[in-house]
Amino acid sequence: MPAFRRPVPLEKAYRLLNHGPTVLVSAAHGGQRNIMAAAWAMPLDFQPPKVAVVLDKSTWTRQLLEASGTFVLNVPCAAQVDIVQSLGNSSGLELQQAGSDKFAAYGLSTFSGQALAAPLLQGCVAWLECRLLPEPHNHQQYDLFLGEVIAAQADTRVFSEGRWHFDGQDSLRTLHHVAGGHFLTIGSALDGRQLPLPTS
């Protein structure tokens, strides 16, 4: 494991997604694998930590996720913006039918997680390994998938002691998709202060 990649305690895993970054969803089953971009993902609970992500019925990743019952939310960074755009606009199923996959097509490097077979993408700044919580009605009606986070890791250059800190690491700032291939990166940190309550 690289020196800058460290496990994140599960009770703090929600903080990896709390600021609303675009994620890359990866899944594997039966010797096949895929990865796709998803802008609609969020944390749902603390203990056990849970997440939600929207996956269209047409996606190959969704098929692999449903078959395996597991998936990974990879949190990419500004240095990977072209990869994120490309993964979000190419068909894993078409590549699979041609005998390839997105990892091979784009020369992506992966590593094994702590708990699952699904691949984790090198170069991201956080990774959440998830076990699917079966909710067939939500899957079919809303394309909404829930997962329990069973392992999490982050890049300590920008996340440590339960907090993101991006100062001086612009290439590692997380991405936030707007539309049509346009992204924003996370901005500067601010700390709020408690305002005093009015006295009667």
Side-chain angles (χ1 to χ4, degrees):
M1 178 184 294
F4 57 80
R5 195 170 70 229
R6 287 287 180 267
V8 172
L10 287 180
E11 65 271 16
K12 295 183 178 177
Y14 75 95
R15 298 183 182 184
L16 299 174
L17 298 178
N18 220 28
H19 62 305
T22 294
V23 299
L24 297 171
V25 186
S26 56
H29 180 71
Q32 298 172 328
R33 59 186 185 167
N34 198 47
I35 187 168
M36 63 172 282
W40 296 345
M42 61 178 287
L44 278 184
D45 206 348
F46 300 104
Q47 288 190 335
K50 299 182 186 72
V51 296
V53 62
V54 174
L55 303 170
D56 188 81
K57 293 176 177 64
S58 65
T59 63
W60 179 228
T61 300
R62 173 171 167 163
Q63 294 180 44
L64 295 173
L65 182 159
E66 289 181 305
S68 67
T70 61
F71 62 98
V72 174
L73 299 184
N74 306 266
V75 181
C77 59
Q80 297 172 299
V81 65
D82 293 341
I83 289 296
V84 174
Q85 178 67 8
S86 300
L87 294 176
N89 286 281
S90 56
S91 169
L93 184 56
E94 289 179 6
L95 286 168
Q96 184 269 334
Q97 291 169 345
S100 185
D101 62 30
K102 291 185 185 182
F103 298 95
Y106 294 111
L108 305 179
S109 298
T110 63
F111 64 97
S112 298
Q114 298 171 275
L116 305 179
L120 283 69
L121 181 63
Q122 295 276 15
C124 291
V125 291
W127 304 263
L128 297 94
E129 299 176 63
C130 305
R131 179 172 44 241
L132 179 65
L133 299 174
E135 295 283 351
H137 174 73
N138 287 342
H139 302 173
Q140 292 303 312
Q141 187 71 24
Y142 305 112
D143 295 333
L144 180 65
F145 289 78
L146 307 182
E148 179 183 343
V149 181
I150 56 176
Q153 300 178 59
D155 186 325
T156 57
R157 293 173 293 179
V158 289
F159 186 92
S160 58
E161 298 181 7
R163 298 189 70 172
W164 289 104
H165 42 82
F166 294 103
D167 287 349
Q169 299 284 356
D170 287 348
S171 67
L172 298 180
R173 290 180 183 271
T174 53
L175 293 167
H176 304 260
H177 186 248
V178 180
H182 182 66
F183 295 83
L184 303 175
T185 55
I186 191 70
S188 300
L190 296 173
D191 287 325
R193 64 182 179 87
Q194 178 67 43
L195 295 174
L197 292 172
T199 57
S200 54

